[in-house]
Amino acid sequence: IFKWLYDDGLIYRAERLVNWSPDLRSVLSDAEVIHEDVEGELVSMRYGSLDDSQPHIVVATTRVETMLGDTAVAVHPDDARYAELVGTEIELPLTGRMIPIIADAHVDPEFGTGAVKVTPAHDPNDFEIGKRANLPMLTIMDETGLIQGTGTAFDGLDRFEARVAVREALREQGRIVAEKRPYLHSVGHSERSKEPIEPRLSLQWFVKVGPLAQAAGDAVRDGTVQISPPEMARRYFDWTDNMHDWCISRQLWWGHRIPVWYSPDGSQSVCLGPDEQPPDGWVQDPDVLDTWFSSALWPFATLGWPEQTADLAKFYPTTVLLTGYDILFFWVIRMMMFGMYAMDGNPSGAEPFHTIALHGMVRDKFGKKMSKSRGNGVDPLVWMDEYGSDAVRFTFARGANPGADLPVGEEIVAGSRNFCTKLWNATRFAMLNGASTDGDLPTELVGADAWIISRLNSVIAQVDALYEDFEFAKIADLLYHFAWDEVCDWYLELAKVSLADPDTAGTTRRALGEVLDGLLRLLHPFIPFVTEALWTELTGGESIVIAPWPTPDPARLDPAAEQAIEALQAVVLDLRRFRSDQGVKPSQRIPVRFTGLAGNEREIRTLLRLDEPTEQFAATASLTTAAGVRIELDLSTAVDFAAERVRLNREYAVAQKELEQTQSKLGNENLLAKAPEQVVAKLRERNAAARADIDRIAAALDALPD
RNA sequence: GGGCGCUUAGCUCAGCGGAAGAGCACUCGGUUUACACCCGAGCGGUCGCUGGUUCGAUCCCAGCAGCGCCCACCA
């Protein structure tokens, strides 16, 4: 691809000002430079004569040492103060060199003295000015950051030592007219080695990104490639629309080498493809390619490109690229540019993927960025040792809201571990009780079996919909609650009842197998190892990895069964709360009589350890559920009426508030006129329910002895 | 200097026009034959502030105040 780009004029070699890392002794791309505010100094110094009557000019800089490489002083063309000086020459202190005073529109007359020293070889702005004015470009530093070649006493000094030394030398001459310290300003640092980068003039290889970036941007603009979440597209365009040419050569010892050879005398060069041989005696360019150049080849090089392989045909373009938003510029855009170019040999070939889904960055449990200086980084391997790799993976899934960062903490991982354990225990228990996936699930299910199978199919459909939007956190949450709250807390408890009955045990074993089979497959992407172990044992299948993804069966949805279980839950919840309020131990068996129960009495009695009323039954307490079920209890101990009164009053207040709220809304004619019918209907329903609640609770309060 | 985003229970986060939610933490109870990495019952929020739009605003709009991120060549 290098050769293609080269032959198309999209790769060229040029002497440019580049980001140089003296530590790495290599060039860096713009993307590898991070700007940070640092406390430096702003020193104003006087060039030219020290005699006020003679020509002189004051310039300011944060990098005094670069004055050794100055080749001009620039002022704004319209600046009257310096109009006379423009075109003249002035002496550069310490060097004795004469440098011109030039006019350049880049200079801001409002800043400082309105005069700028120009160091074309060591500052990007100055480089541009220098090009415009045809100034000499004097390199005064070697590749390790030492001052070199100035012919002054400062040669050999480190750039930071020189900054001080030059400043003091100027001070001795009385040329320092002002100093501002600390002076907060932004300085580019190497992302990897952290030291300040040095703009440096050198001969490097560049990719001319204009046409490539344009095509990559258009692919997203015209909807061929979608970015999720869509807000992130703006950042993508920021980049594609403003990308500078990309410096791709690196002076490192590892990486793909630049496929260019030079003749022995250096006068000729040739770019060769993989199968071509250089002439005898020619030597290859010692530089290697930027790692992102190589990484950009990933979507097609891994599939056998440039051969037209079956893999390439099948998997290129792929559907979704899932990655972190921090890598959008580094990797994603470059894959787009090279992928499109590689396919057709022109910038607008086939895109490597159709959807770019971006997730956030992992942060610490307080939502802070992990960093060495903060010391809040974590080693996932340590967590994996302690809590299991499934727990760590599930934690990341639980936190993965699209485009948002995800905080992780040990407590959350522990919670995920608990969930894995719960899943393990529940499935083991079910298998111990004969849970099975053998044979067809009976079409006619009843009771809890019908309910949980209905719920399973509804959950499958919800999960599928959430996957469409890359809502991993919501999928994890949905499955967490379905598994824990519904399957474990309710269904397994209810199944115990029907498993104890030979008439229903067989069907329930099959239903149990069905729901666990589905649940494990749904959870497998998030909890791979535990689900694999459980599933293969439950089903006897080869591997859950190759098991088909569950599909929702609308015929299994059973609103009546769901309603029946909800009614059961309401009764159980009411009784549990009553018992807890009354301080009655869960283990204590109580004789209870129900009136108006629609069904599931056996299940309710088992769940709550309630006895049938005997002949001596004498109700000492009673309550009525919102659904109108009357429950009479024969408590052996005295009833704590005060506690019951407190509870009823609390409920009364809630119902009262609900009544007032709905009443006032329903009394609003504007609302009745403008609100959608469903909203009004719902308000009426709530209003009626609140009214019924109040009556019921008031009656219960009245019935309490004083 | 531009742009984007965030501000909801003690903590971390969902919800984004018609009844305030989850996990963790906290309180109380528990030798219920899967699980104490558990079970059951609770407590906890004028949804950053000020205006506006609307019959109705945590949700939409404007301003303000704090955070955070990205981009940018102010010597």
Side-chain angles (χ1 to χ4, degrees), chain A residues 297-305 307-316 318:
Chain A
L297 312 176
W298 182 82
F300 46 94
T302 51
L303 300 173
W305 181 94
E307 304 303 323
Q308 290 303 314
T309 64
D311 281 352
L312 189 65
K314 184 170 168 59
F315 296 112
Y316 192 103
T318 188

Side-chain angles (χ1 to χ4, degrees), chain A residues 8-151:
Chain A
D8 278 352
L10 292 171
I11 282 182
Y12 62 92
R13 194 178 193 216
E15 180 127 60
R16 288 276 195 87
L17 205 61
V18 296
N19 305 302
W20 185 266
S21 163
D23 262 16
L24 304 172
R25 293 191 202 177
S26 177
V27 65
L28 301 174
S29 71
D30 290 347
E32 291 168 291
V33 175
I34 43 178
H35 287 86
E36 275 175 12
D37 279 346
V38 298
E39 289 184 357
E41 57 182 17
L42 181 68
V43 177
S44 300
M45 52 206 185
R46 176 171 178 151
Y47 285 6
S49 174
L50 286 167
D51 181 344
D52 284 348
S53 64
Q54 296 296 308
H56 62 273
I57 198 160
V58 173
V59 296
T61 181
T62 54
R63 302 179 56 211
V64 181
E65 75 282 8
T66 60
M67 61 84 59
L68 297 171
D70 285 2
T71 53
V73 170
V75 299
H76 194 271
D78 302 333
D79 196 328
R81 291 171 294 177
Y82 303 111
E84 284 186 13
L85 288 173
V86 173
T88 66
E89 290 201 329
I90 197 166
E91 185 191 341
L92 183 65
L94 306 179
T95 67
R97 280 191 288 117
M98 294 301 285
I99 57 173
I101 294 174
I102 61 168
D104 192 287
H106 167 77
V107 179
D108 175 6
E110 304 294 318
F111 188 92
T113 57
V116 183
K117 60 191 276 306
V118 182
T119 323
H122 293 279
D123 181 279
N125 290 318
D126 296 1
F127 178 73
E128 294 302 321
I129 296 175
K131 273 206 300 195
R132 283 193 288 272
N134 240 332
L135 296 174
M137 308 213 170
L138 219 54
T139 293
I140 56 152
M141 244 175 257
D142 69 9
E143 58 199 25
T144 62
L146 301 184
I147 303 294
Q148 215 60 257
T150 66

Side-chain angles (χ1 to χ4, degrees), chain A residues 384-623:
Chain A
M384 284 160 75
D385 277 347
E386 189 166 353
Y387 300 102
S389 36
D390 275 352
V392 174
R393 187 179 174 93
F394 190 62
T395 297
F396 290 145
R398 279 211 286 174
N401 286 117
D405 288 338
L406 70 128
V408 297
E410 193 154 357
E411 300 91 330
I412 309 174
V413 183
S416 300
R417 183 269 321 266
N418 295 354
F419 179 65
C420 293
T421 307
K422 184 78 179 176
L423 197 63
W424 180 266
N425 286 328
T427 310
R428 302 288 306 180
F429 172 73
M431 287 190 289
L432 222 57
N433 282 279
S436 157
T437 54
D438 295 339
D440 290 336
L441 183 68
T443 35
E444 294 302 323
L445 293 171
V446 294
D449 294 338
W451 164 71
I452 200 68
I453 295 301
S454 173
R455 290 288 305 130
L456 172 67
N457 281 281
S458 157
V459 166
I460 295 171
Q462 288 178 63
V463 168
D464 282 350
L466 289 169
Y467 265 117
E468 290 299 316
D469 296 326
F470 309 105
E471 293 279 7
F472 304 120
K474 290 186 177 59
I475 296 167
D477 188 63
L478 175 64
L479 293 174
Y480 179 96
H481 286 289
F482 175 65
W484 202 310
D485 302 350
E486 300 193 81
V487 175
C488 292
D489 288 351
W490 287 103
Y491 182 61
L492 281 181
E493 295 307 318
L494 291 168
K496 286 175 186 172
V497 179
S498 79
L499 286 169
D501 181 344
D503 290 343
T504 52
T507 307
T508 293
R509 285 196 194 102
R510 184 63 190 77
L512 205 44
E514 185 77 8
V515 69
L516 287 172
D517 174 23
L519 177 62
L520 290 171
R521 281 190 275 157
L522 289 171
L523 280 170
H524 179 251
F526 295 162
I527 303 180
F529 299 109
V530 168
T531 53
E532 170 74 358
L534 292 172
W535 188 86
T536 48
E537 193 174 339
L538 174 71
T539 64
E542 185 187 345
S543 170
I544 195 170
V545 176
I546 53 172
W549 184 250
T551 47
D553 179 359
R556 289 293 183 184
L557 296 181
D558 190 340
E562 294 198 19
Q563 217 166 2
I565 296 299
E566 281 161 22
L568 170 152
Q569 289 172 331
V571 172
V572 171
L573 255 28
D574 270 359
L575 263 167
R576 285 212 281 237
R577 187 166 51 189
F578 178 80
R579 191 135 67 169
S580 182
D581 285 348
Q582 289 295 319
V584 179
K585 294 189 174 178
S587 55
Q588 186 184 332
R589 303 197 66 90
I590 313 171
V592 165
R593 181 160 58 208
F594 293 106
T595 315
L597 201 55
N600 289 315
E601 182 164 342
R602 182 176 58 164
E603 284 77 8
I604 292 171
R605 286 187 183 282
T606 309
L607 247 45
L608 293 166
R609 306 171 78 77
L610 305 176
D611 284 336
E612 295 283 349
T614 61
E615 284 178 15
Q616 293 82 34
F617 183 84
T620 54
S622 72
L623 56 156

Side-chain angles (χ1 to χ4, degrees), chain A residues 136-449:
Chain A
M137 308 213 170
L138 219 54
T139 293
I140 56 152
M141 244 175 257
D142 69 9
E143 58 199 25
T144 62
L146 301 184
I147 303 294
Q148 215 60 257
T150 66
T152 66
F154 304 105
D155 280 3
L157 283 183
D158 173 77
R159 52 185 168 149
F160 301 113
E161 295 168 3
R163 184 167 304 168
V164 177
V166 171
R167 191 215 307 141
E168 294 314 312
L170 287 168
R171 193 191 307 284
E172 274 179 34
Q173 297 188 6
R175 291 184 175 274
I176 303 296
V177 299
E179 290 170 277
K180 208 186 272 182
R181 199 176 292 117
Y183 182 75
L184 201 66
H185 65 132
S186 176
V187 174
H189 289 72
S190 158
E191 188 180 44
R192 257 181 309 160
S193 58
K194 306 299 177 202
E195 105 253 49
I197 61 114
E198 188 63 40
R200 185 167 204 273
L201 200 57
S202 71
L203 190 59
Q204 303 289 346
W205 288 96
F206 293 86
V207 171
K208 182 177 172 187
V209 294
L212 299 167
Q214 174 73 34
D218 288 346
V220 172
R221 239 184 298 273
D222 68 21
T224 312
V225 175
Q226 308 224 336
I227 293 183
S228 164
E231 309 90 81
M232 289 287 176
R234 197 181 301 267
R235 289 192 183 184
Y236 179 88
F237 294 135
D238 273 352
W239 200 262
T240 56
D241 299 349
N242 300 304
M243 207 169 168
H244 298 308
D245 280 0
W246 170 21
C247 179
I248 51 168
S249 44
R250 294 289 180 278
Q251 293 68 47
L252 306 171
W253 61 268
W254 47 263
H256 289 139
R257 273 182 87 176
I258 289 180
V260 172
W261 279 259
Y262 304 101
S263 61
D265 65 0
S267 65
Q268 291 172 281
S269 68
V270 59
C271 176
L272 298 177
D275 303 326
E276 299 171 300
Q277 290 297 320
D280 270 357
W282 286 41
V283 293
Q284 188 171 4
D285 192 304
D287 287 357
V288 298
L289 291 165
D290 177 13
T291 183
W292 296 112
F293 187 104
S294 305
S295 305
L297 312 176
W298 182 82
F300 46 94
T302 51
L303 300 173
W305 181 94
E307 304 303 323
Q308 290 303 314
T309 64
D311 281 352
L312 189 65
K314 184 170 168 59
F315 296 112
Y316 192 103
T318 188
T319 47
V320 178
L321 174 80
L322 181 64
T323 192
Y325 64 73
D326 61 319
I327 215 163
L328 187 61
F329 308 141
F330 285 117
W331 194 31
V332 178
I333 285 175
R334 293 173 216 263
M335 283 193 285
M336 282 286 287
M337 293 194 302
F338 278 11
M340 292 171 72
Y341 179 81
M343 285 312 109
D344 286 3
N346 72 68
S348 23
E351 302 78 7
F353 25 72
H354 292 318
T355 300
I356 299 166
L358 298 168
H359 62 246
M361 313 293 297
V362 174
R363 293 173 173 263
D364 77 3
K365 64 178 170 177
F366 298 113
K368 296 288 181 199
K369 192 192 262 185
M370 290 184 186
S371 69
K372 282 198 190 102
S373 57
R374 207 178 258 119
N376 60 347
V378 294
D379 183 351
L381 292 175
V382 173
W383 281 352
M384 284 160 75
D385 277 347
E386 189 166 353
Y387 300 102
S389 36
D390 275 352
V392 174
R393 187 179 174 93
F394 190 62
T395 297
F396 290 145
R398 279 211 286 174
N401 286 117
D405 288 338
L406 70 128
V408 297
E410 193 154 357
E411 300 91 330
I412 309 174
V413 183
S416 300
R417 183 269 321 266
N418 295 354
F419 179 65
C420 293
T421 307
K422 184 78 179 176
L423 197 63
W424 180 266
N425 286 328
T427 310
R428 302 288 306 180
F429 172 73
M431 287 190 289
L432 222 57
N433 282 279
S436 157
T437 54
D438 295 339
D440 290 336
L441 183 68
T443 35
E444 294 302 323
L445 293 171
V446 294
D449 294 338

